[in-house]
Amino acid sequence: MIPGPINIYKCPNCNVSFAHSGVTSGNTIGAVHYSDGKIDAPMLPPSLRVTKCNFCLQFLWLNKLTPALSLDYRTEKLGIDNYADFLSIEDYLKLISTQSFPESEEIYIRIQIMQLYNDVFRNDSREVNLSPEEDKASIENHRSLAVLLDQKEFRYGLLKVETLRCQGAFDDALEVLGSLHVVGDYHTKLIDQFRREILNQNKKVFKINI
C-alpha cells in the first residue's frame, strides 16, 4: 500500500482547515468480502467521500472541494491535527434526511447506512440483534436502496438481492437473483452462495467464501 498525498482543505462554511490523506495504490490480498459489498482489506483502506467539519458540523463531499495545499505523505503535517473523519450512522441518517441527492450520491449514502447497521453482525454472531428502532430504520433504508438499484448491472443487482434478503423478502430475492446477467465462474459461485443463504432464510450479512 502506498499512501496518497496529504490534502489540506478549507471548510467552505467556516473556513477552518482540515486534512485528508488517501491511498495512491493498494491491493485486496487477505481481504474479507461481505454480502453487502463491504471489503475489509488490510492493504486497501476504505475511501472517504463525505465527511463533516469538526467545527461547524457542515457535511462536506470531498470531490466537490479543491485542496488548498497538497503535501507529500512523507512531509511533516505542518502541525495540523484536524483530520477528516468517517461519518457515523447517525450522521448518515441526518444527512439523508436533510435534502435530496443525485441518485449516485443517495446510493452511496444508503450503502454506507446498510453496512454500518450490518457491522453489528460481522463477528459471525447470530445472537446479536438490532433494537426495534434500529431494525425499523434499517428496513426502511433497505427498501429505499432497493428502488434505486438497477439490476441490469450485476453489482447493483446483487446488492438489490441483498436488500431483499435482509428484509426477509426471500421469494423476491430469488426472483431478482435469477434475472441477473451472469458472466463467468465467479458470478456463478456468487449466485450459488446467495441462493443458499436465501433458501436458509438468513437475513444477516455473511462472508463471501469463493
Side-chain angles (χ1 to χ4, degrees):
M1 180 179 69
I2 302 175
I6 301 169
N7 290 322
I8 311 298
Y9 298 92
K10 285 187 179 294
C11 172
N13 187 56
C14 69
N15 210 37
V16 167
S17 296
F18 66 94
H20 172 61
S21 179
V23 174
T24 297
S25 66
N27 61 70
T28 56
I29 295 173
V32 179
H33 297 252
Y34 293 92
S35 56
D36 62 358
K38 184 170 182 176
I39 303 173
D40 284 338
M43 299 300 290
L44 187 64
S47 61
L48 179 65
R49 289 183 59 181
V50 59
T51 187
K52 182 175 68 173
C53 177
N54 290 326
F55 287 84
C56 70
L57 306 182
Q58 177 82 20
F59 292 111
L60 304 168
W61 291 85
L62 291 184
N63 65 347
K64 297 179 182 180
L65 302 178
T66 302
L69 183 65
S70 188
L71 306 171
D72 187 274
Y73 73 92
R74 291 162 293 194
T75 305
E76 289 294 328
K77 299 179 178 60
L78 302 180
I80 292 179
D81 57 4
N82 181 29
Y83 274 76
D85 292 324
F86 287 91
L87 298 183
S88 67
I89 193 165
E90 292 79 13
D91 288 329
Y92 279 117
L93 289 170
K94 182 178 180 180
L95 176 62
I96 201 69
S97 68
T98 57
Q99 58 182 290
S100 298
F101 291 94
E103 186 174 282
S104 62
E105 291 181 359
E106 184 174 351
I107 288 173
Y108 172 80
I109 294 169
R110 292 198 179 281
I111 288 175
Q112 302 312 302
I113 292 171
M114 175 177 66
Q115 292 177 350
L116 284 166
Y117 275 126
N118 283 342
D119 283 347
V120 174
F121 310 112
R122 290 188 204 280
N123 61 359
D124 290 340
S125 172
R126 299 299 173 106
E127 303 301 321
V128 179
N129 289 293
L130 299 174
S131 70
E133 294 78 12
E134 290 171 331
D135 189 56
K136 180 182 178 182
S138 176
I139 290 174
E140 288 176 353
N141 184 67
H142 284 309
R143 289 172 178 164
S144 297
L145 180 57
V147 172
L148 296 169
L149 296 171
D150 183 358
Q151 63 200 60
K152 293 178 183 177
E153 183 178 344
F154 184 84
R155 176 172 67 98
Y156 281 169
L158 204 60
L159 269 178
K160 187 166 188 171
V161 171
E162 179 73 352
T163 64
L164 294 168
R165 184 185 67 82
C166 290
Q167 294 176 60
F170 300 116
D171 290 341
D172 292 338
L174 283 174
E175 182 178 349
V176 175
L177 191 69
S179 73
L180 299 185
H181 179 61
V182 177
V183 179
D185 187 54
Y186 182 73
H187 281 187
T188 300
K189 289 179 178 178
L190 275 175
I191 294 288
D192 288 343
Q193 186 173 3
F194 270 82
R195 182 176 289 109
R196 287 195 300 271
E197 297 295 335
I198 293 169
L199 293 176
N200 287 333
Q201 297 193 347
N202 174 25
K203 295 196 294 183
K204 295 181 179 177
V205 67
F206 60 87
K207 291 179 182 179
I208 301 297
N209 299 314
I210 297 177

